[in-house]
Amino acid sequence: MSATPQGQRILALAFPRLPTDRIARKRWGPSWRSAAPPERPPLVTAGRERSAMRLMALDRKALEAGLKPGQGLAEARAMCLGLDAVPADPQADRQFLAALADWCSRYTPLVARDGMDGLFLDITGCSHLFGGEEGLIADALSRLSAMGLEVEGAIADTPGLAWAVARFTPAAAPQARIVPTGERAERLAPLPVQALRLDPLVVEGLTKAGLRLAGDLLALPRAPLARRFGPMPLLRLDQATGREDEPISPRLPVAGLSCERRLAEPVTREEDILFLAGELARGLLPMLEQRGLGGRLFELSLFRVDGAVFHVHAGSSRPLRDARRIEALFAGRFAALQEDLDAGYGFETARLSVSHAEPLESRQMDLGRPAETADSLADFIDQASARFGPDCLKMPVLLESHLPERASALVPAREGLAAEAGPPASASPFRPVRPIRLFRYPEPVEAVAEVPDGPPVQFRWRRAVHRVVKAEGPERIGAEWWIDGEEAPTRDYYRIEDEDGRRYWLYRQGLYDREPAQPRWFMHGLFA
């Protein structure tokens, strides 16, 4: 019985010379394989391992010269005069692999990393857009090779089998790298046990036992094999043959809605890109209307001819479907990016995705204003945020807290306007009077009360003494123990009027004989 999802198809890509290909591309450009001089020395990367400098990655020339990964750098220089050794940079390799994953998203949004030298692409339901699986894998391998990369690939029902075929099948035509559904065991059997992604020590033990091929393990009883070599060989066999599911985790969230356009001629001008964004937004309109949604966050992905990918994000304060307004958002973003968006030789593919959507309800327009000015505030906030960043405008919003200093906050105006557009907060049956001016931080005062739990009759604040003629309260506010801890003191608030008619908002922090802390008085606000 198969545990693999029905109809799943996985494309595995392997880049066996990724570090050296990255360096070569940087030195000689994407066409370095055809343009590099024939006398180019072998290229390797070296790093410190076990207190010695050793070879980490080798190009094809270094392998033909007899060098091996893990070999000492001094020994390698003695064997190969003129060896071109570059310090290993794993971080740069990871960034380069991430850029390749972005580039591969032209085939499917479900792209996952496979270690430091490979990618998994879930192409289920995508191959017909490229002329079938043969056309898709041929297009991917040819484009990546033209970018100066040594690459191998295979398509199968499971990630494990696609990984094995891609790395352990000699170079062949694209159709030979496609494993038809139902032929998993047959294609896995002739491959070496290294194709099962096992630990080198396990592979060594299997080889010593005479088990050199995956087919040798398929023919053995499972219980003795597990007792001798552990559970991993059986797990890898089951994953490759589909008896055990092996899900892949996409490196980026998958947008719910997207629209893509492949261009016959690359575009370079900003106005052409904006026009294309508007056309893609119109393509999204039927899908948004069908679901009753509007986009709050949009992502425009631009695939350049040389393989670079640019992602431009634009957000809105309210759900949008209007292509004109979506296009205007990206116009503001392009104005902010300026030189960061380099079209180079042009963009050949563009995709507009809705990263975040919310319900969009029809609402009555204000008959006293023209339709084009009905959302002028939202348009202004969106344009300013797109041009100068989301934090350029802020507005106060209410928060769920009963402590006054935590009951409001300044948030980006785009988020604040969206919060105002939501359902109204339920009306409270008790609305205490609050001062117009509230201090950001309560200020300590010295107060004298007739009784310990009563209002003050006199207090000293900012070096001035005030005599109290009227007092209302207390209004007791309990501490938020889930934030400040269980020992946080309670507050008793009083509305105070002094002999000059000025009104204040004071509170006593702490309760006599009930809380361990000594009660203290604070000034928190002023009434008009």
Side-chain angles (χ1 to χ4, degrees), residues 167-185:
R167 286 168 168 76
F168 292 91
T169 297
Q175 60 270 20
R177 296 184 171 276
I178 300 175
V179 181
T181 301
E183 298 184 10
R184 303 168 188 167

Side-chain angles (χ1 to χ4, degrees), residues 115-440:
M116 290 291 291
D117 63 350
L119 297 171
F120 284 130
L121 283 69
D122 189 338
I123 60 170
T124 307
C126 301
S127 59
H128 68 281
L129 301 174
F130 303 89
E133 292 182 350
E134 293 184 11
L136 190 152
I137 192 172
D139 183 75
L141 296 181
S142 62
R143 285 175 177 266
L144 290 169
S145 297
M147 291 165 57
L149 300 172
E150 184 174 336
V151 58
E152 303 291 348
I155 298 176
D157 293 339
T158 64
L161 184 56
W163 188 96
V165 174
R167 286 168 168 76
F168 292 91
T169 297
Q175 60 270 20
R177 296 184 171 276
I178 300 175
V179 181
T181 301
E183 298 184 10
R184 303 168 188 167
E186 292 81 353
R187 292 297 298 271
L188 182 65
L191 301 180
V193 291
Q194 290 87 341
L196 296 177
R197 298 174 293 169
L198 297 173
D199 186 90
L201 294 178
V202 177
V203 172
E204 183 180 357
L206 291 170
T207 304
K208 289 181 178 179
L211 305 173
R212 294 181 173 83
L213 302 178
D216 298 335
L217 303 183
L218 290 171
L220 290 177
R222 297 172 63 89
L225 185 64
R227 283 196 299 269
R228 182 169 181 181
F229 299 103
M232 286 307 297
L234 293 179
L235 176 62
R236 292 304 191 187
L237 282 174
D238 291 343
Q239 288 175 341
T241 56
R243 297 180 62 181
E244 186 77 25
D245 187 22
E246 183 183 2
I248 64 174
S249 299
R251 54 182 295 270
L252 297 176
V254 179
L257 298 172
S258 63
C259 185
E260 184 175 295
R261 181 75 59 87
R262 297 186 182 89
L263 306 176
E265 294 291 336
V267 297
T268 58
R269 299 192 308 166
E270 181 177 314
E271 50 267 34
D272 293 335
I273 300 172
L274 287 175
F275 175 79
L276 184 59
E279 291 298 306
L280 292 172
R282 292 181 182 90
L284 287 173
L285 180 59
M287 294 182 282
L288 290 170
E289 289 181 338
Q290 183 181 6
R291 293 166 173 80
L293 299 175
R296 283 286 313 280
L297 181 61
F298 300 89
E299 179 185 57
L300 181 63
S301 301
L302 301 171
F303 297 82
R304 208 165 64 183
V305 173
D306 63 353
V309 183
F310 294 88
H311 299 285
V312 184
H313 297 86
S316 169
S317 57
R318 292 179 178 174
L320 287 184
R321 292 180 191 161
D322 186 0
R324 177 186 58 82
R325 294 183 62 186
I326 296 173
E327 182 178 342
L329 290 179
F330 283 105
R333 291 296 300 130
F334 287 164
L337 292 173
Q338 296 180 351
E339 300 299 328
D340 293 338
L341 187 65
D342 182 11
Y345 291 105
F347 299 108
E348 60 180 351
T349 303
R351 179 190 301 135
L352 181 62
S353 303
V354 181
S355 302
H356 178 64
E358 293 180 357
L360 177 59
E361 299 180 358
S362 300
R363 53 191 178 94
Q364 177 68 45
M365 304 300 293
D366 188 349
L367 299 180
R369 292 186 297 168
E372 59 269 16
T373 63
D375 290 323
S376 57
L377 177 59
D379 286 340
F380 169 72
I381 291 176
D382 291 344
Q383 290 297 316
S385 299
R387 179 65 178 86
F388 301 106
D391 295 330
C392 67
L393 297 174
K394 293 189 176 182
M395 62 185 298
V397 296
L398 296 178
L399 302 179
E400 293 291 339
S401 176
H402 52 265
L403 290 183
E405 64 269 24
R406 295 176 182 170
S408 64
L410 288 175
V411 301
R414 198 170 67 191
E415 299 177 10
L417 199 62
E420 286 187 351
S426 58
S428 172
F430 174 69
R431 291 187 176 275
V433 179
R434 290 287 187 265
I436 295 178
R437 181 185 176 189
L438 191 70
F439 296 154
R440 184 175 183 181

Side-chain angles (χ1 to χ4, degrees), residues 8 11 67 71 95 121 138 174 244 281 327 398 416 512:
Q8 174 181 273
L11 168 60
L67 304 182
Q71 187 176 9
Q95 293 176 353
L121 283 69
E244 186 77 25
E327 182 178 342
L398 296 178
Y512 288 97

Side-chain angles (χ1 to χ4, degrees), residues 40-115:
R40 179 180 61 84
L43 175 64
V44 300
T45 64
R48 184 165 296 278
E49 182 180 346
R50 298 193 299 273
S51 302
M53 293 298 294
R54 300 184 181 276
L55 304 187
M56 299 296 180
L58 296 78
D59 69 353
R60 184 63 61 181
K61 279 194 171 184
L63 289 174
E64 294 172 353
L67 304 182
K68 299 179 180 179
Q71 187 176 9
L73 179 59
E75 181 185 355
R77 290 189 184 277
M79 292 177 57
C80 184
L81 299 179
L83 180 66
D84 187 0
V86 179
D89 190 347
Q91 179 62 25
D93 296 337
R94 284 191 288 268
Q95 293 176 353
F96 185 48
L97 186 61
L100 291 176
D102 281 343
W103 182 89
C104 288
S105 65
R106 65 179 58 211
Y107 299 109
T108 172
L110 302 173
V111 181
R113 290 183 53 173
D114 174 28

Side-chain angles (χ1 to χ4, degrees), residues 447-459 467-469 471 494 508 512 521:
V448 178
E450 291 183 349
V451 294
D453 290 334
V457 295
Q458 177 179 301
F459 65 91
R467 301 184 66 86
V468 178
V469 296
Y494 293 90
R508 181 181 60 247
Y512 288 97
W521 287 88

